[in-house]
Amino acid sequence: MSQDSSSARSRMVSVDDTGVRRRLADGSEESVTWAELTTVVIRVIPEGPWKEDVFFMLAGPDGSGTAVPSGDPAADALLERLQRLPGFDHDKFVEAMTTDADEAYVVWSAGQTTT
């Protein structure tokens, strides 16, 4: 069995009161602070069950941000924090997590409110 040596693989993801940081295998880092977060997308890629197929895409201004695989150990803490965002679309999140379609689901945008 071969191992994926892709430089895009996570070495570490941290979620705290400041934001989300992801250190990649090549030593580079992606991050976004809660203050600059503009959009949260759940990206589903039909790669499962043997490869990661659901990602939390966190976008900041000017293309900054990070992608966190749903299987990452920090994903539970990330989801807990995301669900507290005002206007987080819980129904859209459930839809995203229960599909195998090749789709991107916007579950939160800055300034968005749900009724």
Side-chain angles (χ1 to χ4, degrees):
M1 186 160 135
S2 66
Q3 285 207 337
D4 182 358
S5 61
S6 168
S7 63
R9 294 188 61 144
S10 297
R11 284 279 195 210
M12 180 201 72
V13 174
S14 64
V15 178
D16 58 28
D17 289 339
T18 303
V20 180
R21 284 176 305 289
R22 178 180 176 212
R23 184 168 300 131
L24 304 179
D26 66 3
S28 63
E29 189 173 282
E30 300 173 342
S31 66
V32 65
T33 66
W34 300 119
E36 64 187 9
L37 185 65
T38 60
T39 309
V40 177
V41 174
I42 305 300
R43 180 68 174 106
V44 180
I45 303 168
E47 292 288 331
W50 308 114
K51 291 184 178 182
E52 189 67 54
D53 59 351
V54 178
F55 297 85
F56 296 92
M57 310 291 288
L58 310 174
D62 303 322
S64 65
T66 189
V68 177
S70 65
D72 189 277
D76 287 344
L78 174 59
L79 178 57
E80 182 179 314
R81 177 64 191 225
L82 292 175
Q83 289 178 320
R84 290 185 290 182
L85 292 169
F88 183 86
D89 190 335
H90 298 277
D91 293 336
K92 186 67 74 176
F93 175 76
V94 169
E95 181 182 346
M97 297 304 286
T98 57
T99 186
D100 59 1
D102 189 355
E103 296 279 341
Y105 297 85
V106 177
V107 295
W108 183 84
S109 291
Q112 167 183 309
T113 59
T114 59
T115 55

